[in-house]
Amino acid sequence: MLSDIHAFLGAPTPQSWIDAALAHPDILLLDHKNCEYKAASNAINLMAKYQEKEALVFALARLAREELAHYEQVMKIIKRRGIALRPLTASRYATGLRKLVRRTAPGMMIDILLISAFIEARSCERFGALAPHLDDELSKFYNGLLKSERRHYQGYLKLAHLYGDADDIAERIAIIRPVEQALIADPDTEFRFHSGPPA
């Protein structure tokens, strides 16, 4: 199921990041919760910014609802496990990708849709990489998220192709991909769901 995700991303999550995730399950869940909220917020922000684009609004309304449902599911797991809620600093991942966004239309919208596709694809890939190593509850949960995250990645790509030019999209993906790969491969001082391996 993940073959298209792996082809799109072009590079797997480093084993050292997986090892860090297994060593810090509390941070993994807390930051996963934050990522689901940010994903819902991103969809809602795009709906507000491009509200004249009907297909985008309907697609992202569904996506936002799913992301908030996932947020609630992660919250319940955090509560069951007695993990104290606390703020976490954001990783450099999304910020690093958003530096690539063009500042004029229609390039801005296309770039945001493509970067959103990369973020969803990487989330999906990491769920798949982690699931075999987790306890039964988390493994079942993360395997269950694979389908929705894959659908979200595909949805963002479809929207980009609906509103953009295929040649431009291919060029932008070729620009975004190596930056995304570096962000998940280069060492980070703090472990996060989308961080690189620990320094």
Side-chain angles (χ1 to χ4, degrees), residues 13-14 17 20 31 91-93 126 183-198:
T13 288
W17 180 90
D31 202 44
S91 73
R92 59 193 171 88
Y93 179 78
R126 290 200 155 174
L183 287 165
I184 63 102
D186 293 345
D188 269 312
T189 56
E190 294 182 309
F191 168 75
R192 295 291 184 266
F193 188 84
H194 285 116
S195 68

Side-chain angles (χ1 to χ4, degrees), residues 97-113:
L97 289 174
R98 287 187 178 274
K99 290 178 181 177
L100 300 173
V101 174
R102 288 171 284 185
R103 298 303 168 195
T104 57
M108 177 184 286
M109 181 183 70
I110 300 305
D111 285 355
I112 294 172
L113 291 171

Side-chain angles (χ1 to χ4, degrees), residues 137-155:
E137 180 189 37
L138 272 186
S139 179
K140 182 178 179 181
F141 179 52
Y142 277 16
N143 273 318
L145 291 178
L146 289 177
K147 289 183 181 179
S148 59
E149 298 301 321
R150 182 171 179 261
R151 189 171 61 252
H152 296 168
Y153 137 76
Q154 291 173 331

